[in-house]
């Protein structure tokens, strides 16, 4: 494998439709669109069922990339994993993180391993496999392959695993039923949680964070979790798309990544430890947030789960965004909700990419 | 003036109607209801126009105090300033801060001044005075008297001034009109901002934080502000009720207060400075929050002011609550929205009471 | 049984705390507070979990009645069934319906039966009985007794049965667990639906609308329903409180009641039929609303169930309120959400009281 | 002018991105994309500031039309007026109304005038003209030309005038300032109301509904209004785009249009009159909705303007949608919010297109 270099652009956006900053970066030569392997972003929606900003941003990005690369819209889906997370509650600021893999001309940095990006794919899942053992196991296998793709040898060098996973729709459930197969849930909204949860358990299995991940544990046994998984369910795919971020030799450049697990939503200390461990200038921050299911944070009652006006995931993103902004001094933070088996109940992973 | 002692109880509540913790504190002898001069609290409402949790909590507290003190409901209003702030967004946890002034039997603490509580009242305002020079000046005068009531000699020893101020209603506007007087605004909601703003400017004037506070500056010139004012408008009164918190000799006990001005919503450093300055165990945290009117925090776009689903004050409380929880390690925080002239635009005061 | 007369006052309110209209009606002699048996009202809350306007209005009403009747607050709960329904979406206008039973001096109306009000109570339910057979059967028995209390001989003369029923709380579930009993659901919010559903099935059973109401059908078999039940769960009671409204001889006055079942949310024809059947001036309108669980109204997709910003019950009340306001020409309508087994899926009962 | 025929397709959609029904109609020959002159639709957003579903739906439609017509994306904007209205509150069902102008081969209907569609454009407005006399007058002139384009001779034959108009942005305000010009408002959100209002007054002027429309009246004098105007502000244009719908000779087919003015939000009688006047099968319903600014509907308090959780325009659409669904028996209704000078305060026009 030849020498590679990871590039990460963090681009503030003026709305879900705003591709101008990326277009300018491409036009100005800051990024070669052919090297883009993933785009992860925050948009202004509610991050819940009726959040159309994710699809809107994704369509706008695909249009731009198709045009600049001169390829059909459909091909972009094959080339780039686009993961939009809705919800910029509190101070969170809409932005895109553009991940590129370039061929490096210079020699690798002398000072050690550098940010490495690995890509993985599972096979397409049948509806009845979503949220179940097949999804857990195939994800685990694909994460292992994505680590290899990144050239990351040790599990300890993996610091964030972003996964886009499928969900159940009425049509998919009916298709399964016609074949006599029954799905994990008839509730399409709940299928998102199950798919996220199973995918996260697959990460934990691949990285040895958990010894076993039985199907029965999905969205039930919160003691099982991965400290680096960040999973997001979308209607537009049937397989799991995996982006592994870690540090590895064979990568040049000046970017490194680190992470810690926030044990609860206000665990600012975890973010401080990551910062202290990395040094350098912060280039990107990625974290997961959720309302503690027990209704308390360090023994204090929270009201997120009883609020019928604002969904608990919105409260949780605002809260974790505030905690991290207080530490980082910046609101350009990728804080995503729905953290099933991604960190402990009420907590979640926080990863930082820094320029050293 | 005899030796006094300030007592502050921080009581988590299970809802706006929940007076059981205070009833238990009274029953158990932890607090003598006759010594209570102010109750400041957070309730689960939206903190906006149709927030009825403030009135509900206030009514429940009045009922409890009337019963335990054996006085009519109406008398409670004369004895105790009750300021309920709606909105426990993000991780904020509903609770009451009960402020008591007791006669102290022991000698004052040898180590220096202690938490002092001063109470002040303006005269009742005519509708046409609300949000205008009269309210600014009368408030300034009453703050000065409240400082004297607390025995606080130096303005630098004042760390938080909680004010409850009146607002305009349709009836009050019409009453003024019948007398040929015109009010500052016909928009009753906006009158809340004007009343809060004028009251805050009055604090700034009294404490010498600003040299002059012309009527024209109210809710217009954000360069004028107090770093310790926290004002809240309510329909149930016509005068300003003032609670001054500071440190003074002549007070015994083990409580002290400090404050800093958050220059923006994510200024965690301000809270860290207060903590460092005080030492000891945190007993209460009081802060103000607002969405930066310019639409940016440290150059990053925020979406609070363009969100038609969630009011900007709700976002702001969640955000500042997260920032402070990350520093303090606790979500039992009094974070109140609507910070006109209370700290700089987008920022606000944060005060901490500690047991030393 | 001596001759009786039902009186119904419809009083617009200025907020959940507003008891002034009822106080004025009492002071003016329009109503003797000792004759009030039930108060049913709409308040401005969200009608969901964190709706504190119901409790606030209830407390305010109890305070007024305790004061005017010169009895302790607690006694009011024994005398008057107070059912507040939160949510005045769309054009719905906050108001109280005050139901009184008076001794009539005049002879009964010559023209036929008149509005009759019957009151019933079940025994207190153990937590494990809520949402189950015991609640169904005890409710059915109590409805039969309430019919007798009203002097309504025929089931066809019952036109609205308002029930207030208990729900599960964490404490109640734990109490049951200590006795080795398991409850119908561990989800306290869902327990409200089960309690409403079981109570509605009890009404259907009592009135012969359904032949059997097995426990397994609760919130599952929507083909079983009552066309006159309106049930509401509240935390403050353990038994079911029942108000039966119908027409009966032995009642004088000029009020009559009629009802129809709206087959879906836009079934304005049902309301028109009630109006046409009754004639006279409309005095009160009571209806139930819910989002069609299948996601469609007459084959058209609705978006109520996928909206994460506004709860589906809020949409449903706004919609049914609009449909009925278009027919009645008035927005002073009691439209309540959560219509499990109260009318067909997506529909519900609409009852009108008229002065003839 | 040769013989023409108006075609109107009403296509339910599964989301803002859903162009499949229109694609199928084109593929199946039901509509020739080259004949489409306007698309008016309802999407699931909140209809307020942060509603991105409008832009998303518009982009998706442009992509489809550009592809099927084989023209660049930009050209679609020149050919087709696309007006998306966000907000399907209550029972409102997302859908598109596709308006086509075809050359007719058959002779015109013997029975009288038929649905006629006229298109008009103003010149681009300078920022300082928006919401002012220039916009009023240019709109009036363009409406007159659009009537002529439709071949509508009499003002009484105009039944709905849909206008898409510009708004102010920070950039536009600054551009004007650089030229020394001052705009009507510095509040970009308020500029939408001013632009809608000025455009509606322009319609009223053109149709002789009002004798004069002084600039000072915009969003101030609610006694001035058009009974057929429906205006919508969008960021993507600088001129007013006008679609006039009426009945005219010279048009064949089986469609006719009628309208009435709802005097308030619950004026179902207005819709019943339109239905009675037209007869036939309802093909499309277009109406405007707003919360009565006085806070009352027929003397009853409404809570729409005091609700800080749900914007008043959302309540108003849900309400009017319910009123109309009760009359029409269908929820596929184009009910749009923001009715400044479009019908009387609290009311608005309702137009129906029917197949006779």
């Amino acid at each position: 494998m030849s020498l590679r270099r990871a590039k990460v652009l963090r681009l503030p956006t003026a709305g879900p439709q705003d591709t101008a900053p990326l277009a300018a970066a491409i036009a100005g030569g800051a990024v070669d669109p052919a090297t883009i392997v993933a785009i992860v972003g925050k948009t202004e929606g509610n991050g819940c069922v009726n959040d159309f900003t994710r699809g809107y941003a994704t369509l706008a990005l695909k249009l731009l990339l198709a045009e600049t690369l001169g390829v059909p819209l459909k091909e972009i889906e094959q080339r780039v994993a686009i993961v939009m997370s809705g919800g910029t509650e509190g101070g969170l600021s809409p932005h895109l993180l553009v991940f590129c893999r370039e061929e490096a001309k210079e020699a690798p940095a002398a000072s050690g391993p550098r940010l490495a990006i690995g890509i993985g794919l599972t096979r397409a899942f049948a509806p009845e496999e979503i949220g179940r053992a097949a999804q857990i196991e195939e994800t685990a296998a694909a994460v292992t392959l994505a680590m290899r793709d990144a050239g990351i040898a040790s599990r300890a060098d993996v610091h964030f695993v972003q996964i886009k996973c499928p969900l159940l729709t009425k049509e998919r459930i009916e298709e399964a039923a016609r074949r006599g197969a029954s799905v994990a849930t008839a509730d399409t909204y709940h299928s998102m949680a199950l798919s996220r949860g199973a995918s996260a358990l697959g990460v934990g299995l691949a990285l040895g964070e958990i010894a076993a991940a039985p199907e029965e544990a999905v969205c039930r046994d919160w003691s099982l979790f991965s400290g680096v998984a960040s999973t997001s369910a979308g209607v537009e795919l049937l397989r799991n798309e995996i982006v592994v971020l870690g540090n590895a030799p064979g990568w040049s450049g000046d970017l490194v990544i680190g992470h810690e697990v926030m044990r609860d939503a206000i665990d600012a200390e975890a973010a401080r430890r990551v910062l202290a461990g990395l040094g350098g200038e912060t280039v990107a921050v990625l974290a997961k947030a959720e309302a503690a299911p027990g209704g308390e944070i360090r023994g204090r009652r929270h009201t997120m789960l009883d609020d019928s006006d604002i969904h608990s995931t919105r409260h949780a993103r605002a809260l974790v965004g505030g905690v991290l902004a207080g530490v980082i001094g910046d609101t350009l933070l990728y804080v995503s909700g729905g953290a099933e088996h991604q960190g402990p109940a009420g907590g979640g992973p926080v990863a930082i990419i820094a320029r050293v």
Side-chain angles (χ1 to χ4, degrees), chain A:
Chain A
M1 193 175 289
S2 70
L3 186 60
R4 295 180 290 182
R5 185 176 50 210
K7 183 178 275 183
V8 180
L9 277 80
R10 183 162 63 168
L11 304 170
T13 53
Q17 77 294 340
D18 183 21
T19 57
L22 180 52
I26 292 171
V31 61
D32 172 359
T35 67
I36 299 174
V37 292
I39 302 178
V40 174
K42 288 299 310 176
T43 58
E44 284 95 327
N46 62 22
C48 301
V49 182
N50 62 326
D51 183 348
F52 300 101
T53 64
R54 296 174 297 210
Y56 190 12
T58 301
L59 176 59
L61 286 169
K62 281 188 200 168
L63 273 172
L64 172 72
L65 293 177
E67 196 176 322
T68 51
L69 288 167
V71 301
L73 215 55
K74 291 236 157 190
E75 195 182 313
I76 301 301
E77 290 165 30
Q78 308 298 321
R79 294 175 67 131
V80 184
I82 302 181
V83 182
M84 289 295 130
S85 163
T88 55
E89 297 83 4
L92 295 174
S93 190
H95 67 288
L96 300 175
L97 298 175
V98 182
F99 292 91
C100 310
R101 298 208 297 196
E102 304 177 339
E103 295 299 309
K105 286 169 193 90
E106 77 272 38
S111 58
R114 285 292 179 264
L115 177 65
I117 304 174
I119 304 295
L121 284 177
T122 65
R123 62 171 171 79
F125 294 114
E128 64 269 28
E129 292 177 324
I130 292 174
R132 287 187 172 148
Q135 193 180 19
I136 300 173
E137 286 153 21
E138 293 289 327
T139 301
V143 168
T144 302
L145 289 174
M147 275 179 66
R148 200 170 302 166
D149 177 50
I152 303 175
S154 160
R155 290 157 165 183
D157 287 327
V158 174
H159 291 287
F160 207 69
V161 180
Q162 179 68 46
I163 295 186
K164 198 170 177 186
C165 53
L167 51 82
L168 290 173
T169 62
K170 223 174 108 181
E171 291 71 28
R172 290 172 190 175
I173 295 171
E174 287 167 359
E175 185 274 328
R178 280 194 296 274
R179 288 184 289 101
S182 81
V183 294
T185 177
D187 176 344
T188 57
Y189 187 55
H190 185 52
S191 79
M192 299 174 74
L194 293 179
S195 183
R196 287 192 301 256
S199 300
L201 289 175
V203 176
L205 207 55
L207 300 182
E209 298 175 288
I210 49 180
E215 182 173 302
E216 299 74 40
V218 178
C219 291
R220 283 213 193 80
D221 180 355
W222 301 121
S223 73
L224 301 181
F225 62 85
S226 165
V228 296
S230 168
T231 65
S232 172
V235 74
E236 69 277 24
L237 75 180
L238 282 168
R239 58 189 187 176
N240 274 20
E241 294 178 4
I242 295 155
V243 181
V244 166
L245 301 177
N247 298 314
W251 292 75
S252 72
D254 53 3
L255 300 179
V256 291
I257 185 169
H259 91 283
E260 291 279 342
V261 176
M262 294 174 75
R263 65 185 170 92
D264 57 29
I266 64 173
D267 187 8
E269 202 48 54
R272 285 189 209 111
R273 285 197 307 271
V274 184
L275 278 188
L278 287 175
E281 172 206 357
T282 296
V283 170
V285 180
L286 302 109
K288 292 291 290 192
E290 71 175 359
E296 293 190 346
I297 300 173
R298 301 193 190 176
R300 305 301 195 190
R301 181 168 76 98
H302 69 73
T303 64
M304 300 187 248
L305 296 170
D306 286 336
D307 190 335
S308 306
D309 296 313
I310 302 178
H311 201 283
S312 69
T313 55
R314 309 201 72 180
H315 282 291
R317 278 188 297 265
L319 170 58
V320 171
V323 170
L324 294 179
V327 174
I328 314 277
D330 195 339
T331 56
L332 223 49
L333 307 163
Y334 177 84
V335 177
S336 161
E340 299 86 356
H341 303 293
Q342 301 150 63
V350 54
I352 299 178
I353 299 173
R355 176 162 291 117
V356 289

